[in-house]
Amino acid sequence: DNEINPDVLGYIFEKYINQKEFGAYYTKPEITEYLCEKTIYKLLVEKINNYTNNNFDSISDVLLKLDEKTCRILFREILPNLSILDPSCGSGAFLVSAMKTLINIYSAILGKIDFLADRDLKEELNTIKKQHSSIPYFIKKQIITNNLFGVDIIEEASEIAKLRLFLELVASAEKIDDLEPLQNIDFNIMSGN
């Protein structure tokens, strides 16, 4: 298996620098995934309940009851305007997990649109499919450019975080034609205090 595992980059970086001096520690993916599921899913449920005056209990409840209105609100209002910030992102472990968490939501919505009677949503999905040869690549690109933000005092850490997100994006391309330019994410992931 010749694939590069982006998690290895974070592990190497956080083992390489002086942990005591900089406070950098490797965080296992299981921990960041758990944190993302508990926080991001809860936030999305709260936002959906506020928009729709529903009383969903969990993200599972939302996804089981996805209808035209909920898909439209999530896809057009909530997800494009959702900002997730890791104020000490290190090499991006939390941001990668946040992306994976959001992929589940985007994928559920786009998958559901095919089964709904909403012509506007279907037309929007068809336009996306015409403009992007890979839906997984499109989803990751949307998340990286619109939803994920990070800051770290160590410049090398923020550069590795950008690289990890880029590698996650490129890994979803099945063929070279799937690759699309990624806008400059220097505003999303920055070095600073």
Side-chain angles (χ1 to χ4, degrees):
D1 191 23
N2 292 331
E3 286 185 24
I4 295 174
N5 183 343
D7 292 334
V8 171
L9 291 174
Y11 179 77
I12 291 170
F13 174 76
E14 283 145 7
K15 288 295 178 191
Y16 171 74
I17 67 168
N18 183 334
Q19 291 181 344
K20 272 188 175 179
E21 184 178 342
F22 293 107
Y25 295 93
Y26 176 70
T27 308
K28 292 183 179 182
E30 298 83 24
I31 294 170
T32 56
E33 287 168 12
Y34 175 81
L35 291 171
C36 286
E37 288 175 5
K38 291 297 179 189
T39 57
I40 296 170
Y41 286 158
K42 181 179 179 185
L43 176 65
L44 288 172
V45 170
E46 288 173 7
K47 286 186 173 287
I48 293 164
N49 284 339
N50 289 337
Y51 266 90
T52 61
N53 292 322
N54 283 329
N55 200 16
F56 293 117
D57 295 327
S58 65
I59 199 68
S60 301
D61 193 22
V62 171
L63 297 178
L64 279 172
K65 298 174 183 171
L66 268 180
D67 59 7
E68 289 95 349
K69 181 180 178 183
T70 308
C71 281
R72 201 176 307 110
I73 289 169
L74 274 166
F75 194 61
R76 293 182 179 163
E77 302 293 328
I78 295 174
L79 289 174
N81 298 306
L82 181 68
S83 297
I84 298 169
L85 169 67
D86 186 346
S88 57
C89 69
S91 60
F94 180 81
L95 295 174
V96 170
S97 291
M99 178 173 57
K100 290 176 180 178
T101 301
L102 289 174
I103 287 169
N104 295 336
I105 304 301
Y106 272 95
S107 298
I109 294 165
L110 294 178
K112 183 69 174 188
I113 289 173
D114 280 330
F115 299 100
L116 297 174
D118 190 305
R119 271 197 1 228
D120 287 343
L121 283 173
K122 283 188 178 194
E123 285 177 20
E124 191 171 350
L125 180 59
N126 287 333
T127 301
I128 290 168
K129 286 179 179 179
K130 287 177 188 171
Q131 293 174 346
H132 307 278
S133 61
S134 170
I135 294 298
Y137 190 94
F138 165 77
I139 291 170
K140 285 183 180 181
K141 186 177 173 185
Q142 290 295 113
I143 293 167
I144 292 169
T145 56
N146 297 330
N147 305 123
L148 302 180
F149 299 88
V151 179
D152 200 275
I153 197 164
I154 303 170
E155 187 174 352
E156 292 85 357
S158 61
E159 291 301 318
I160 291 174
K162 288 180 207 173
L163 179 60
R164 284 179 80 177
L165 292 172
F166 179 73
L167 288 174
E168 287 287 340
L169 176 65
V170 171
S172 63
E174 292 181 17
K175 53 190 185 301
I176 291 180
D177 291 344
D178 292 346
L179 296 175
E180 300 172 10
L182 178 64
Q183 75 181 43
N184 187 347
I185 60 168
D186 287 343
F187 177 73
N188 296 47
I189 314 294
M190 303 175 86
S191 176
N193 188 352

